[in-house]
Amino acid sequence: MTVVALDKFLSDLDQLTATAVSAFQAASAADVLEAARVEFLGAKNGRLKKSQKGLSHVDKADKPVAGKRFNQAKQDIEAAYETAKEKLAGGGTEQAAAFDPTEPGRRRRLGHGHPVSQTIEELTDIFARLGFNVAEGPEIEDEWHNFEALNIPPSHPARDPLDNFYLSTAGGGAADRQLLLRSQTSTVQIRVMEKATPPVRIVSLGRVYRPDTADATHYPMFHQIEGLMIDRKVTMADLKSVLRMFCSSYLGEEVHVRFRPSFFPFTEPSVEVDMSWHGGWIEMGGAGMVDPNVLQAVGYDPEEVIGFAFGLGVERLCARRHGIQDIREFFKNDVRFLEQF
Ligand code: FA5
């Protein structure tokens, strides 16, 4: 039989006592306390029982000391268990006494959707009435969908690392630039056209990310609504009509829409879409006829099909509608602001 040194037996015993006492003290519910009781004081396999068995391995001469200390440890552990049991039972009574069923309840505050979410729903409804289905795309994009397929070559300034949130970790060189947080919802145009055969008529609403400094009309994370219509005979007049109908539907008949010649690599011709606000104009987005290079990139024949695309800023639309002067308000999460919508 292996002999256990007295020192080892006593230090194991001390450790067991300390662990058991703190387990009982920490037990905050009856089932936890019971589990601890079984673990330490269980009659068959409890840890104290095992320690008692260890007593028989202590040298005969050391047995009186070891036995005395064992009895003391047993008493301490049992006392800690009894105290914990009383504490839990007492706590229950106190709680019961403190509960007054005649007191008025606490009214739950009913929340509602964030103004930007509400706007997204409303815009989706308006475009659904104009025959546009909703499409979705990922917020983490690859360079093909965010740039290349959209006719934005590697040398284009829009691909500058300072103007995008690239996700590559190693090096940061050109070869590492594979994934990024999408900088525009135009990515969804590509994803939809890659899968669908014309005619296509979709809108896509979601978050986009740019390292822009936050000001009254900019935020580094914002939402865009993208629109795409591809068919055999689609003209710039269709684009302008759709956007005008959308604006009067969302903002009212008195709002003026202005189209300014502009440039986007993925549309030709391209326009900037402005809306009247506070006696001036605010840029709401870009639009144009889909560039033949983009149609080719997704496998469409530009001789066969043609279409328009647009991308508008959701925060700016919502701000214009509600007379909000600063889009940063949307992201401060101040309930006094949010509950007004
Ligand atoms: C684009 O993002 C193009 N993809 C739009 C487009 C789609 C053109 C399809 C042609 C065809 P632009 O970078 O101008 O374009 O952004 C569009 C709109 O997003 C802006 O007019 C503005 O309303 C909104 N916007 C841009 N940057 C921010 C920002 N930092 N914070 C809030 N809104 C922004």
Side-chain angles (χ1 to χ4, degrees), residues 9-283:
F9 177 79
L10 294 182
S11 79
D12 286 353
L13 192 63
D14 285 347
Q15 208 176 351
L16 174 63
T17 311
T19 319
V21 169
S22 58
F24 289 139
Q25 281 171 349
S28 53
D31 56 340
V32 182
L33 180 63
E34 177 57 13
R37 188 194 66 75
V38 172
E39 181 184 350
F40 295 104
L41 294 170
K44 249 186 170 181
N45 292 317
R47 289 170 66 177
L48 196 65
K49 195 78 199 165
K50 282 188 190 139
S51 171
Q52 191 176 15
K53 283 180 193 152
L55 199 53
S56 59
H57 297 275
V58 174
D59 193 89
K60 204 171 168 199
D62 294 329
K63 276 225 169 92
V65 179
K68 206 169 156 204
R69 285 284 297 279
F70 175 82
N71 286 336
Q72 185 59 52
K74 187 167 179 242
Q75 274 176 22
D76 290 349
I77 294 175
E78 282 172 351
Y81 167 67
E82 289 302 327
T83 311
K85 200 163 90 175
E86 275 164 31
K87 197 174 92 188
L88 277 183
T93 336
E94 261 170 45
Q95 268 172 19
F99 175 65
D100 178 357
T102 62
E103 278 206 349
R106 230 177 287 156
R107 191 180 292 277
R108 282 201 184 186
R109 284 172 62 136
L110 256 193
H112 60 68
H114 189 278
V116 172
S117 308
Q118 292 182 36
T119 308
I120 286 175
E121 277 173 28
E122 212 169 322
L123 303 186
T124 310
D125 277 356
I126 294 172
F127 277 103
R129 276 185 256 133
L130 292 171
F132 287 77
N133 292 321
V134 173
E136 282 186 11
E139 289 177 26
I140 293 179
E141 261 301 0
D142 51 49
E143 294 189 295
W144 167 257
H145 292 95
N146 204 91
F147 299 124
E148 262 137 61
L150 287 164
N151 203 27
I152 306 175
S155 57
H156 197 281
R159 295 176 68 154
D160 193 314
L162 293 176
D163 290 331
N164 294 284
F165 289 112
Y166 283 99
L167 297 176
S168 58
T169 45
D176 297 321
R177 288 192 224 139
Q178 289 134 6
L179 294 177
L180 71 160
L181 296 180
R182 68 179 177 190
S183 61
Q184 49 184 347
T185 43
S186 300
T187 52
V188 187
Q189 291 182 33
I190 304 300
R191 289 194 173 270
V192 168
M193 289 191 285
E194 278 173 339
K195 290 216 178 96
T197 41
V200 172
R201 205 190 284 196
I202 58 101
V203 282
S204 187
L205 296 104
R207 294 191 190 97
V208 300
Y209 304 83
R210 294 179 192 177
D212 287 348
T213 306
D215 63 22
T217 52
H218 293 84
Y219 210 74
M221 185 285 298
F222 60 102
H223 296 73
Q224 284 188 334
I225 172 167
E226 190 80 13
L228 174 71
M229 178 168 172
I230 305 280
D231 210 331
R232 287 187 180 276
K233 282 184 190 160
V234 180
T235 66
M236 195 81 184
D238 296 319
L239 167 64
K240 292 172 83 175
S241 307
V242 164
L243 286 175
R244 283 222 160 88
M245 269 191 274
F246 158 69
C247 283
S248 52
S249 204
Y250 181 64
L251 296 170
E253 294 292 342
E254 75 283 6
V255 172
H256 296 289
V257 185
R258 180 173 81 173
F259 298 94
R260 273 183 296 125
S262 185
F263 174 79
F264 293 98
F266 34 94
T267 45
E268 181 59 38
S270 305
V271 288
E272 211 79 61
V273 186
D274 300 337
M275 293 174 202
S276 52
W277 199 28
H278 289 287
W281 296 94
I282 177 159
E283 179 202 307

